Amino acid sequence: QVHLVESGGGLAQPGGSLRLSCGASGYIRSIETMAWYRQTPGNRREMVAVIGSGDGKYADSVQGRFTISRDDAKNSVYLQMNNLKSEDTAVYYCNMELTGLGGSEYDYWGQGTQVTVSS
């Protein structure tokens, strides 16, 4: 079993910054892809940023403001969010596509963390 635990959400003012963290624990052989998604009420979950073995890729709405990074030694992924806007308000979820110790591939989600951008 694998568990993803997120932290770092909260309230920020427009133009401010927040840093989200997500760590995975459990029987993990390797983590191929790490990503952040977000969702607002009544809308589908959308990809914000994703990182594999190379550079991160971003949704157009956050390009140049958000930075995704990973620390494989800690089985963790981070999202640095700068110049926040009110439209960034959402519940943010981390996602990891990983290989378990038995060789099977799995797709796991964190529990979600609320980010609110408001003055």
Side-chain angles (χ1 to χ4, degrees):
Q1 184 67 295
V2 174
H3 296 281
L4 271 58
V5 178
E6 303 172 14
S7 61
L11 175 65
Q13 293 187 341
S17 298
L18 286 173
R19 186 173 187 255
L20 305 182
S21 300
C22 176
S25 61
Y27 300 109
I28 300 169
R29 175 182 295 181
S30 61
I31 303 176
E32 284 64 56
T33 304
M34 301 182 181
W36 289 95
Y37 287 72
R38 66 186 181 188
Q39 188 172 23
T40 54
N43 293 308
R44 297 179 63 179
R45 195 171 294 185
E46 64 171 357
M47 190 274 290
V48 175
V50 59
I51 186 167
S53 58
D55 294 336
K57 297 181 180 180
Y58 302 90
D60 290 344
S61 59
V62 306
Q63 181 76 46
R65 300 187 297 121
F66 291 9
T67 302
I68 188 171
S69 61
R70 61 186 287 171
D71 184 339
D72 289 332
K74 296 181 179 179
N75 288 336
S76 294
V77 61
Y78 308 96
L79 186 67
Q80 178 66 43
M81 304 185 293
N82 296 330
N83 191 21
L84 284 161
K85 303 177 181 180
S86 58
E87 51 262 43
D88 295 320
T89 296
V91 177
Y92 284 71
Y93 298 89
C94 69
N95 171 266
M96 295 189 186
E97 297 178 351
L98 58 86
T99 301
L101 292 181
S104 297
E105 298 179 350
Y106 299 94
D107 187 14
Y108 283 96
W109 291 90
Q111 81 282 4
T113 185
Q114 177 71 45
V115 171
T116 302
V117 183
S118 175
S119 56

